Amino acid sequence: MSQLIALRLYFHHSATASPTRFWHRFKRPNLARHLLRQAKHAGIEQALLHQVHAGYLNGDRIHHRHVEHVHHRFPHCLEFIDVESKLRAFWLHHGHEHRHVHAVFLPCESANAAASR
């Protein structure tokens, strides 16, 4: 049986992905949207972009979500859940271009697996 694992990515709201199409050279795609699309294409079981209300990254000052304006250093948290081998392969393939993203792998225990014991 393969072990379920969660991959959490922490990055700033203004983070962008590398250009993959001609038009991306003029306006780079948002990193969260780009990674969600790539995860769907890679067949990752679950992907969630958590709504953050306040927080900070790398010892920066605390930023709070505001209705009218989101600070460019506001934190995002993107979480993927799947088997460990698939998530590690996904991160090896897509992680090298994102040096300001903090990746955390967390082991998971499925409620279904725990109930069957």
Side-chain angles (χ1 to χ4, degrees):
M1 180 172 106
S2 298
Q3 175 69 29
L4 274 183
I5 195 166
L7 168 60
R8 282 192 164 200
L9 306 177
Y10 300 95
F11 51 93
H12 291 119
H13 170 75
S14 62
T16 57
S18 299
T20 57
R21 299 183 185 140
F22 174 76
W23 293 110
H24 289 174
R25 297 184 196 286
F26 300 107
K27 184 178 184 319
R28 287 184 160 199
N30 176 283
L31 182 59
R33 182 179 170 100
H34 172 75
L35 288 174
L36 280 170
R37 188 175 296 142
Q38 294 300 321
K40 183 69 173 173
H41 181 69
I44 302 296
E45 186 176 327
Q46 292 182 22
L48 303 168
L49 179 60
H50 292 282
Q51 184 176 6
V52 178
H53 297 282
Y56 64 91
L57 295 174
N58 298 332
D60 201 8
R61 69 181 190 86
I62 297 175
H63 298 287
H64 297 273
R65 178 176 287 284
H66 191 273
V67 176
E68 296 176 3
H69 174 69
V70 178
H71 194 275
H72 71 282
R73 296 192 55 89
F74 189 75
H76 266 328
C77 177
L78 186 57
E79 179 180 76
F80 304 108
I81 299 175
D82 209 327
V83 294
E84 185 173 2
S85 59
K86 192 185 284 188
L87 283 182
R88 289 198 183 274
F90 176 79
W91 185 240
L92 282 174
H93 186 262
H94 296 285
H96 67 282
E97 62 187 47
H98 310 297
R99 57 188 174 96
H100 295 293
V101 176
H102 297 278
V104 179
F105 287 93
L106 304 166
C108 299
E109 183 174 329
S110 174
N112 297 338
S116 65
R117 291 184 192 169

